[in-house]
Amino acid sequence: MSTGKQLAGLLLLTTALTYPAAAIAQSTGEEDEVSDTQPPEEAAEEEQVEEQAQPDISVPGGAIIVTGRRQRDVTRSSSQVITVLDTESIARTGEGDIAGALGRVTGLSTQGNGLVYVRGLGDRYSLALLNGLPLPSPEPLSRVVPLDIFPTNVVASSLVQKTYSANFPGEFGGGVINLTTRAIPTESFITISGSISGDSETTFGPGYSYYGGAYDWTGFDNGRRDISNYAALQGFFDSGARIGDDDVDLRGILGDLNDPNLILVQKIGDLPVNFSAGLTAGTAVDVFSDGQFGVIATASISNKWRNRFITRQTANNAELELDSDFREFATDNRMLVNGLLGFGLEVGQHRFRLTNLFIRDTLKRASLAEGTDLQDDDDELIQETGWYERQLFNTQAVAELEFNDLSIDLRGGYAQTQREAPFEYRFEYADNKNPNDPFAGIFLNTLDPQRGGALVAFSDLTEDLYYGGVDVGYVFTDWLAATVGYAYTDTSRLSSRREFDIRASTTFPTVFGAFRPDNLLGDALLDLAFDREAQAAAGLEPYELNIFETTQTDPAFQADLTIHGAYAKATLTPIDVVSLDVGIRYEDADQSVRAVEVFADPIGSTSSTALANSYWLPGATLTWEITDDLQFRASASKTIARPQFRELIFQTYFDPETNRQFNGNPRLVDSELINAEARLEYYFDAGSRISVAGFYKDIENPIEVFTSFSDNDIISGFANAPKAQLYGGELEIQWNYDLYDLGEWFDTKRFVAIANYTYTQSEISVGPDDIAQVFPFADQPATNFFDDGVPLTGQSDHLVNIQLGLEDTETLSQFTVLLKYASERVTSRGAGPLPDIIEEPGFQLDLVARQGFDFFGSELELKLEARNLTGTDHQEFQTNGTNRVDVNSYTVGRSVSLGASLKF
């Protein structure tokens, strides 16, 4: 296919932004031609802008107005408030995953676990799509997939839409994030890339780990953690028996639970540098008379280490007097493997896309914590080891068909996510510091809750999602286009967690408690525990070992969500400078969570949920082009936020990122939101703009996180607050300035300044008569969980992003300074009289430099990154103004990365 045809096809595609509803710009012939009265400099400007390749975006059916001069800028021409990060914008940030790149967008902030917050609203209020199709999450705490598992090399663009339109699902509280994968390359290529990195807290310093298996460095287990390889343990799980039944093989199970390669923590003298490597290839061939078929494949692997020296404290009253005080040294080894195979076909105005994506994200964790339990004044030593596998497989097909004024959009897909955490160990040793105890000064684990303990847990989660949708759009006149559509989503999740507490009788020899974990449960002591004659011969009192299952009440849950959605929307342009995008969506959903019986003798759990709701969700956005450079937008809508599966499941889950446990609440209900926004946008020069906006949200039954304490462990739960309001404003500036006036070296140089600021306020409204429903307790006053007037969790008052860069307009040469700031935000409500838990993200300064070279006829790119040059630490704490308790605080350190890619 000729370059001209390729460009023409690209312009047709991007003019419609691949929305299946027709683009209104395709109207009269006069609009397609430069008029005789048009100034020649304006005509030249239009030609120059049209030559710029537009981002590849694939979303569900909708309409976009591109009449007149606005067709040259996607952000400007859209009928909604959107921000688009194309490949160049993503590359400028230097981020390795899409979550980091999105953290630079106005009003967006990221949590450490890869979840994106839009305007201070948590991830439950956001929607993540891939090529317009929903994705299941491998994370038990979130229905939204963590975006840090998506490397930037598989993403062609990322669209953030903050105003609701009916073509998107109704769970649109804060906004939608749509990732579009790469499809048809413009030329055949092969790119090999690699990088090394390190940080001041980890690299070449000491750390902790355990052997595990020979292939752990790849993120794949060699079978050591496969339960099917442990006959007694697998037999017990298959039998349906309870651990306390007489015919259970306790000795065999204890033997299976003791694998020194999974238990024994070892110190690593010098942790290695982080590394990543990737291979991407693509090609395209001409087909038919006006078509092109393309293939893109990419695969990559990364291995990163992180040390955290965590201050972990709890308080027992409003004065914040310490209840426990611990210091934890944790080493995380994260392995990320991904692969993408995409096929694209363009025939005339029709476009087809088949995408297959595989992502595996594995975390290997070892930690030692030492501190004081001030309840009994014991010193304690806690060892934890874990292996957390998150895996996503997604296959989807998209057909975007254009028949002049008629558009048909077909989408279908299947996705599966899995999370497995087998053999998650926790060993506790205690020193009672009793001067009359002959073992005072020695940490002992007597397998007794009074002095030590041994826990092992097995978690498994599988979620399947089926999706199908059709959208039909038609351009009736040059001032009216309409779209109707239907979408079906069926999500099913099976989640299980089995935790076992290994205990000894009170006659267990105290001296045995000094053994390290792998010997404490080693074959020698296990054999002795089940041999009374050997105990007598050794002069020991008879003792025994037992296992208790702490999760026996609710070990497994089945969760289902089926949604039928239908919508109609229209885009009207009554006059040339005014457009109205208006629509309504109807959604009918059945959501259920029920306990799964894993025992032959059923327990009959009461922790189930059945929600059946239907909603009419209207949305409208008015756009008024006041002048050629100035436009005004106003938007209003109603949306919803359903409880996430994990928030409904009454099952304990440990989050290694936040270092705390979570429990669900089966009594949660849907949240309903009323949204309003007004925005003024000014465009000047090429690619430069200033915008200012105000927004307001009224939320009924928002879901909030609250915190309680159990044996000095932080337990977080979920509850519906009665009401909340959120409001604020945004300011965004993007300025491109050519520097050719400064001299010859600057002839092709450009200064780029991108800055945005978001101010947000929110408050929860709680009255004396409001009720909170929290399982398994009876209904109680909402004031037991929430204080009137406090902000929503996750909301920062101030978000600032600044990018200052110098780049070459003809060759690859960029230097960018990036500054990010987020003010304090509440991460969880405090328990009882305790204040809320606050996180202080603070300032972060980054530098990114990219330089391209000609390497024997191939394109070589070198990239240097320096992150967190301000040395900002992670701080999560409670304070009453006088005293402060650090809940999860640690030094992050500064990091440096050097990467290279070679494109053939």
Side-chain angles (χ1 to χ4, degrees), residues 169 184 195 213 238 280 381 457 531 613 642 833 850 870:
I184 300 178
S195 70
D238 294 341
T280 304
L381 180 65
D531 190 338
N613 294 302
R642 299 182 179 91
R850 302 170 62 219
T870 50

Side-chain angles (χ1 to χ4, degrees), residues 252-270:
I253 294 175
L254 285 169
D256 285 349
L257 294 178
N258 178 48
D259 186 340
N261 292 298
L262 302 179
I263 295 176
L264 182 60
V265 171
Q266 299 170 307
K267 182 178 180 179
I268 301 175
D270 298 301

Side-chain angles (χ1 to χ4, degrees), residues 191 225 240 256 437 627 716:
T191 301
R225 300 175 181 87
D256 285 349
D437 188 335
T627 69
S716 296

Side-chain angles (χ1 to χ4, degrees), residues 196-338:
I196 57 173
S197 64
D199 70 77
S200 58
E201 295 299 309
T202 307
T203 311
F204 303 133
Y208 292 122
S209 189
Y210 62 95
Y211 177 71
Y215 304 138
D216 283 4
W217 66 273
T218 67
F220 290 86
D221 178 53
N222 66 350
R224 189 179 299 277
R225 300 175 181 87
D226 188 346
I227 298 175
S228 64
N229 291 328
Y230 298 87
L233 187 60
Q234 183 67 65
F236 164 71
F237 284 140
D238 294 341
S239 69
R242 289 186 170 83
I243 196 66
D245 292 350
D246 293 336
D247 56 349
V248 171
D249 182 10
L250 282 181
R251 171 61 183 88
I253 294 175
L254 285 169
D256 285 349
L257 294 178
N258 178 48
D259 186 340
N261 292 298
L262 302 179
I263 295 176
L264 182 60
V265 171
Q266 299 170 307
K267 182 178 180 179
I268 301 175
D270 298 301
L271 290 175
V273 298
N274 307 322
F275 74 87
S276 68
L279 175 65
T280 304
T283 189
V285 296
D286 293 340
V287 295
F288 310 113
S289 60
D290 59 349
Q292 194 173 36
F293 175 77
V295 180
I296 283 186
T298 182
S300 67
I301 182 172
S302 66
N303 186 300
K304 297 182 179 180
W305 294 83
R306 179 180 65 161
N307 276 341
R308 290 180 294 166
F309 186 64
I310 305 168
T311 299
R312 184 158 53 89
Q313 301 170 321
T314 60
N316 58 15
N317 53 39
E319 285 70 37
L320 296 184
E321 295 177 325
L322 286 181
D323 196 36
S324 67
D325 187 8
F326 281 81
R327 302 295 182 271
E328 178 180 2
F329 192 98
T331 300
D332 297 334
N333 185 199
R334 184 182 182 191
M335 294 71 67
L336 181 63
V337 177
N338 71 82

Side-chain angles (χ1 to χ4, degrees), residues 883-903:
N883 296 324
R884 166 170 161 157
V885 171
D886 283 290
V887 175
N888 180 35
S889 300
Y890 54 89
T891 301
V892 176
R894 299 169 176 84
S895 64
V896 176
S897 172
L898 178 62
S901 65
L902 184 62
K903 182 178 180 180

Side-chain angles (χ1 to χ4, degrees), residues 358-395:
F358 173 82
I359 299 176
R360 183 180 178 89
D361 185 8
T362 306
L363 180 69
K364 183 180 182 180
R365 185 175 189 267
S367 71
L368 289 176
E370 184 175 355
T372 302
D373 180 353
L374 296 173
Q375 290 181 351
D376 50 23
D377 203 33
D378 285 353
D379 286 344
E380 295 182 358
L381 180 65
I382 302 173
Q383 172 191 300
E384 294 179 328
T385 55
W387 174 268
Y388 307 92
E389 301 174 356
R390 299 186 301 178
Q391 183 171 292
L392 164 67
F393 171 73
N394 176 251
T395 182

Side-chain angles (χ1 to χ4, degrees), residues 417-462:
T417 55
Q418 294 180 321
R419 181 187 187 272
E420 295 184 19
F423 294 99
E424 190 177 354
Y425 288 99
R426 177 186 174 98
F427 289 89
E428 297 184 15
Y429 289 73
D431 172 16
N432 61 17
K433 297 189 294 187
N434 184 348
N436 298 319
D437 188 335
F439 295 97
I442 300 175
F443 285 104
L444 298 176
N445 185 350
T446 58
L447 298 176
D448 183 331
Q450 301 303 315
R451 194 165 188 176
L455 297 172
V456 58
F458 301 84
S459 301
D460 192 6
L461 180 152
T462 300

Side-chain angles (χ1 to χ4, degrees), residues 360-649:
R360 183 180 178 89
D361 185 8
T362 306
L363 180 69
K364 183 180 182 180
R365 185 175 189 267
S367 71
L368 289 176
E370 184 175 355
T372 302
D373 180 353
L374 296 173
Q375 290 181 351
D376 50 23
D377 203 33
D378 285 353
D379 286 344
E380 295 182 358
L381 180 65
I382 302 173
Q383 172 191 300
E384 294 179 328
T385 55
W387 174 268
Y388 307 92
E389 301 174 356
R390 299 186 301 178
Q391 183 171 292
L392 164 67
F393 171 73
N394 176 251
T395 182
Q396 52 182 225
V398 176
E400 297 162 330
L401 311 176
E402 300 284 343
F403 304 94
N404 296 322
D405 291 335
L406 175 67
S407 302
I408 301 176
D409 183 3
L410 303 173
R411 297 175 189 270
Y414 166 75
Q416 182 185 80
T417 55
Q418 294 180 321
R419 181 187 187 272
E420 295 184 19
F423 294 99
E424 190 177 354
Y425 288 99
R426 177 186 174 98
F427 289 89
E428 297 184 15
Y429 289 73
D431 172 16
N432 61 17
K433 297 189 294 187
N434 184 348
N436 298 319
D437 188 335
F439 295 97
I442 300 175
F443 285 104
L444 298 176
N445 185 350
T446 58
L447 298 176
D448 183 331
Q450 301 303 315
R451 194 165 188 176
L455 297 172
V456 58
F458 301 84
S459 301
D460 192 6
L461 180 152
T462 300
E463 183 169 312
D464 295 288
L465 184 147
Y466 296 88
Y467 175 87
V470 57
D471 307 272
V472 179
Y474 191 78
V475 177
F476 293 93
T477 68
D478 58 358
W479 59 268
L480 175 63
T483 310
V484 296
Y486 167 79
Y488 169 79
T489 304
D490 184 15
T491 308
S492 177
R493 172 182 287 193
L494 178 62
S495 175
S496 67
R497 186 174 187 273
R498 310 288 295 272
E499 182 182 73
F500 302 97
D501 187 351
I502 303 170
R503 295 188 184 181
S505 60
T506 56
T507 53
F508 182 75
T510 304
V511 69
F512 288 176
F515 283 118
R516 68 189 193 191
D518 59 316
N519 291 329
L520 185 65
L521 298 180
D523 290 335
L525 289 192
L526 290 182
D527 290 339
L528 183 60
F530 288 87
D531 190 338
R532 291 298 176 85
E533 292 183 0
Q535 293 174 12
L540 302 175
E541 291 186 59
Y543 74 91
E544 60 184 18
L545 296 178
N546 289 300
I547 304 176
F548 298 88
E549 183 170 357
T550 63
T551 54
Q552 186 167 274
T553 303
D554 294 299
F557 286 87
Q558 174 70 43
D560 297 282
L561 174 63
T562 302
I563 304 174
H564 296 273
Y567 75 92
K569 66 190 294 288
T571 304
L572 299 93
T573 312
I575 58 178
D576 221 21
V577 295
V578 175
S579 66
L580 176 65
D581 186 273
V582 59
I584 188 167
R585 186 181 187 91
Y586 175 79
E587 282 196 356
D588 181 86
D590 292 308
Q591 186 173 11
S592 64
V593 173
R594 59 180 177 84
V596 175
E597 296 291 355
V598 300
F599 302 116
D601 182 14
I603 293 177
S605 171
T606 60
S607 56
S608 60
T609 301
L611 299 175
N613 294 302
S614 58
Y615 300 95
W616 291 96
L617 304 171
T621 300
L622 174 72
T623 303
W624 173 28
E625 190 175 8
I626 302 172
T627 69
D628 287 346
D629 301 319
L630 182 67
Q631 69 181 19
F632 169 79
R633 299 183 194 269
S635 175
S637 63
K638 177 183 178 180
T639 56
I640 58 173
R642 299 182 179 91
Q644 301 174 21
F645 287 148
R646 188 61 196 88
E647 296 169 345
L648 292 168
I649 296 176

